[in-house]
Amino acid sequence: MRENIYFCCMKNVSLLILYTLLQGHCLHAQKGCTDPQANNFNSQAQENDGSCQYAQTSMIPVLVYAKLNDTMIESSGLVYFNNWFWTHNDSDNPPYIYAFDSLSGNIIHRTFIANMTNKDWEDMTQDSLYIYIGDFGNNNGNRTDLKILRIKKSDLKLQQAGDT
């Protein structure tokens, strides 16, 4: 009986020691650089310690920009629709929206909004069906005719250079 108790206790102590060793091992995962792209990548590392080092690289950026067509001299809003950028001019300009080529700055399409004036168009946005233009510029704080224009996208004749 005494042997069984001793064996049982020794077995429990052995399991406890083994458990403690395994816990300590699991809690102390090897740290190092885990990024294979780094010069000092450590395939044994299990936890990134922020020590990764990389070869120096240099790059000369190529600036690509275009001057917008002079018709869009006061471009005030911008959306991307039908693979084109669209804009409009700010206050007291003719009521057009313009689609333009982002590389050349040239106008691809223009839509005249016949039933509106451009009192002070400030911004534009869109959803799946409409383009919205905010005619709510109010620098002096005295406008009472603020509005949002809604243009149905399906009404735009995009296969033509312009429409109304």
Side-chain angles (χ1 to χ4, degrees), residues 54-122:
Y54 300 90
Q56 184 175 0
T57 59
S58 62
M59 180 187 274
I60 299 172
V62 177
L63 299 176
V64 178
Y65 61 91
K67 179 183 180 294
L68 289 179
N69 181 295
D70 286 342
T71 303
M72 301 178 289
I73 196 75
E74 285 190 274
S75 175
S76 187
L78 186 68
V79 295
Y80 188 73
F81 160 63
N82 196 48
N83 295 317
W84 298 337
F85 284 101
W86 291 76
T87 191
H88 60 77
N89 282 319
D90 202 351
S91 59
D92 298 321
N93 281 286
Y96 281 97
I97 58 172
Y98 305 96
F100 66 93
D101 180 341
S102 62
L103 294 178
S104 69
N106 293 328
I107 296 171
I108 300 168
H109 179 87
R110 68 182 78 216
T111 298
F112 180 71
I113 313 300
N115 58 345
M116 295 305 298
T117 59
N118 180 348
K119 178 105 179 196
D120 199 353
W121 292 4
E122 288 296 328

Side-chain angles (χ1 to χ4, degrees), residues 6-71:
Y6 176 76
F7 178 74
C8 183
C9 287
M10 287 306 291
K11 184 178 172 185
N12 287 341
V13 168
S14 297
L15 288 174
L16 182 61
I17 291 171
L18 181 60
Y19 176 75
T20 304
L21 289 174
L22 288 176
Q23 280 286 65
H25 178 72
C26 291
L27 289 176
H28 300 292
Q30 185 170 352
K31 294 181 180 183
C33 177
T34 59
D35 184 356
Q37 304 269 326
N39 294 338
N40 61 331
F41 169 65
N42 180 350
S43 62
Q44 302 298 312
Q46 298 167 331
E47 185 178 329
N48 194 331
D49 63 0
S51 66
C52 296
Q53 298 172 356
Y54 300 90
Q56 184 175 0
T57 59
S58 62
M59 180 187 274
I60 299 172
V62 177
L63 299 176
V64 178
Y65 61 91
K67 179 183 180 294
L68 289 179
N69 181 295
D70 286 342
T71 303

Side-chain angles (χ1 to χ4, degrees), residues 118-155:
N118 180 348
K119 178 105 179 196
D120 199 353
W121 292 4
E122 288 296 328
D123 207 353
M124 62 193 315
T125 190
Q126 66 179 325
D127 62 22
S128 61
L129 299 176
Y130 296 95
I131 293 175
Y132 302 91
I133 299 174
D135 187 5
F136 41 60
N138 194 14
N139 291 343
N140 296 327
N142 57 4
R143 276 191 68 190
T144 58
D145 61 344
L146 307 177
K147 58 182 120 329
I148 296 175
L149 288 62
R150 185 174 75 167
I151 302 160
K152 196 170 191 177
K153 289 178 176 179
S154 62
D155 287 346

